[in-house]
Amino acid sequence: MVSTEDAINKQQPTHQPPQALFLNFTTDLSPQTPKKKTKKRQTAYRVNGVNILNRQVKEDKTAIERIQRRRENHNHIERKRRDNINNTILQISQVVPNASEPGQRPNKGRVLQLALSYIQVSYNIYIYIFV
């Protein structure tokens, strides 16, 4: 014969937390299992195929100096490139009509747009006259 306690236990289902609808979210606030930590990749500064940071402790100062010289050299090269571009845009602004306003520094984008339209008009005139 079935006891009354067994009958009551069969009627009441055990409480289970509701299932998540998506993305494995749960309604309980128990801590999640931590993800495995991955090793961070160390930065390698290579000069002529040699990692200059993997040196002896006594040579650390020279490694830092090499990095600084490399950065200074890159900055110098980049500055020369920018100066070259700026000087060329300035020369274009002096040739193209209405590209530069007196007393103001020329706007690079406007100078290039006006130069493009000037070249297109000149080309169309050339085609009309000679072709």
Side-chain angles (χ1 to χ4, degrees):
M1 179 169 227
V2 179
S3 68
T4 56
E5 285 181 18
D6 290 336
I8 292 172
N9 287 340
K10 286 182 182 178
Q11 290 175 356
Q12 295 178 353
T14 59
H15 184 274
Q16 295 179 353
Q19 294 295 321
L21 297 176
F22 53 90
L23 296 178
N24 296 330
F25 288 122
T26 58
T27 55
D28 64 337
L29 298 176
S30 62
Q32 301 283 327
T33 57
K35 293 182 179 180
K36 292 181 181 179
K37 292 183 179 180
T38 58
K39 261 186 166 179
K40 285 189 174 182
R41 186 184 303 177
Q42 291 184 351
T43 305
Y45 290 97
R46 295 190 180 276
V47 175
N48 296 332
V50 177
N51 186 352
I52 62 175
L53 293 182
N54 288 342
R55 298 288 180 135
Q56 300 293 331
V57 176
K58 60 185 178 182
E59 295 182 0
D60 280 348
K61 189 173 183 179
T62 57
I64 292 171
E65 289 173 356
R66 287 180 186 175
I67 293 170
Q68 288 175 343
R69 276 196 312 261
R70 189 168 170 228
R71 184 179 302 131
E72 288 170 1
N73 186 34
H74 174 73
N75 289 346
H76 177 69
I77 291 169
E78 181 66 20
R79 191 175 308 112
K80 282 175 51 176
R81 186 189 71 82
R82 279 194 320 263
D83 289 344
N84 184 21
I85 291 171
N86 289 338
N87 288 335
T88 305
I89 290 176
L90 183 63
Q91 290 173 356
I92 291 171
S93 71
Q94 293 168 354
V95 173
V96 175
N98 299 326
S100 63
E101 298 171 4
Q104 290 186 352
R105 197 175 90 195
N107 182 336
K108 296 175 192 175
R110 179 154 170 75
V111 167
L112 293 176
Q113 287 174 346
L114 290 173
L116 177 63
S117 65
Y118 181 73
I119 292 169
Q120 288 173 338
V121 168
S122 299
Y123 178 75
N124 289 336
I125 292 172
Y126 172 80
I127 294 294
Y128 181 73
I129 294 174
F130 296 109
V131 176

